[in-house]
Amino acid sequence: MNAEAAVFYVFGAITVLSAAVVVLARSLIYSAFALLFTFFGVAGLYVLLGADFLAATQLLIYVGGILVLLLFGVMLTHKLYDLDLRSEVTQFLAGIIVASGLFVIVIFVAVRTQWATGPGRPPSVTTAEVGRLFMGQYLLPFEAASILLLVALMGAAMIVRRRRDA
Amino acid sequence: MITLQHYLIVSAALFSLGMLGILTRRNAVNVLMGVELVLNSANLNLVAFSRFGSGNLQGQLFAVFVIVIAAAEVAVALAIVLTLYRLRRTSNLDAADILRG
């Protein structure tokens, strides 16, 4: 087993095990902090795949933004003296059946298909090329995404605003 | 030797776990965490195909767009959850039946 395989198995195990904790933990706070490790594991896999810019983005936006937002969501939707912060679980057996069925199907497709793998991309610094593509070939989606973000954030602020006249 | 299939298997596990979270949890914030797991698994697939495929960066660019949309989705969804909490004093999704006839 070479170094790449060892790193892959470590990060893959971190990702999958903490994702299982996210889904199965009784307490919302445990789920949120396990999600932190899932995001770190996925960022490590990105580094292993040669996507350095994407790994940094993953850490900044997911860990720095989305996870903090989710923690705010947990804190704001529970009374502060409500210490256990439990999350109800329903239809557990049906959920297990559907999720494991999906897992088997996806694994079957992933292993049995002859993927058209090409020459591949040797790990190299990607930031400059990603920036060039965003400012060139993919300028329109880039601008559309920025407008989408603006609209979504303004909409979120509008939805949660307390109305004076209400 | 780590191949494309290894990454696809990790991604499939992430996807199924996220799906399980979406299906079985009743707390809205917890369902959102499941959605994040599913989006992360899709991103992992995109980057893996970008690495082992024809060798261009388009998969990574697409993953950046997915991250942007995930951020927007979480912001709006949490706003809705907060409004639901103000209205019903709970973030249980079964309480969101106001539109039911």
Side-chain angles (χ1 to χ4, degrees):
Chain A
M1 195 156 81
N2 57 1
E4 188 199 6
V7 175
F8 171 81
Y9 285 120
V10 168
F11 277 118
I14 289 175
T15 307
V16 174
L17 291 180
S18 57
V21 174
V22 171
V23 174
L24 300 174
R26 283 283 161 197
S27 159
L28 268 177
I29 293 291
Y30 287 168
S31 291
F33 280 104
L35 201 59
L36 173 76
F37 288 100
T38 311
F39 290 156
F40 267 117
V42 173
L45 290 177
Y46 285 165
V47 171
L48 209 57
L49 283 166
D52 52 348
F53 174 75
L54 200 62
T57 312
Q58 165 94 1
L59 287 185
L60 279 176
I61 297 185
Y62 267 110
V63 178
I66 292 178
L67 193 65
V68 173
L69 215 56
L70 283 172
L71 276 173
F72 269 115
V74 172
M75 295 300 176
L76 287 175
T77 56
H78 286 85
K79 299 169 198 78
L80 280 179
Y81 52 82
D82 198 16
L83 279 178
D84 52 349
L85 299 176
R86 290 198 188 285
S87 175
E88 233 181 287
V89 174
T90 51
Q91 315 159 350
F92 192 68
L93 192 64
I96 285 275
I97 291 169
V98 170
S100 51
L102 268 174
F103 182 67
V104 170
I105 292 170
V106 175
I107 289 288
F108 188 74
V109 171
V111 174
R112 293 294 295 273
T113 310
Q114 284 290 328
W115 298 106
T117 47
R121 213 175 168 286
S124 58
V125 181
T126 60
T127 313
E129 204 183 333
V130 165
R132 220 170 283 127
L133 282 170
F134 270 138
M135 284 294 127
Q137 197 181 350
Y138 294 97
L139 187 60
L140 183 65
F142 184 72
E143 295 296 332
S146 68
I147 292 176
L148 173 84
L149 265 184
L150 180 68
V151 170
L153 294 183
M154 282 168 63
M158 283 291 289
I159 291 172
V160 290
R161 197 175 53 129
R162 285 180 200 276
R163 289 177 186 79
R164 290 261 167 72
D165 51 318
Chain B
M1 183 65 191
I2 299 297
T3 58
L4 176 64
Q5 267 85 3
H6 289 80
Y7 288 97
L8 293 185
I9 288 170
V10 171
S11 163
L14 262 188
F15 175 79
S16 312
L17 285 167
M19 209 63 193
L20 184 65
I22 295 171
L23 288 173
T24 58
R25 289 311 182 99
R26 286 278 65 88
N27 186 295
V29 181
N30 231 321
V31 173
L32 278 179
M33 292 179 192
V35 174
E36 294 308 321
L37 290 185
V38 171
L39 287 173
N40 260 294
S41 79
N43 266 352
L44 197 57
N45 261 7
L46 287 171
V47 179
F49 278 112
S50 175
R51 162 79 175 80
F52 293 102
S54 56
N56 55 26
L57 273 177
Q58 273 146 11
Q60 292 190 26
L61 288 179
F62 207 90
V64 173
F65 285 120
V66 173
I67 290 179
V68 167
I69 291 180
E73 170 251 334
V74 163
V76 174
L78 279 179
I80 294 173
V81 171
L82 281 188
T83 313
L84 174 72
Y85 180 72
R86 247 182 236 154
L87 214 59
R88 289 286 160 106
R89 288 285 134 200
T90 174
S91 55
N92 190 318
L93 284 176
D94 289 335
D97 55 357
I98 308 162
L99 286 178
R100 185 183 286 170

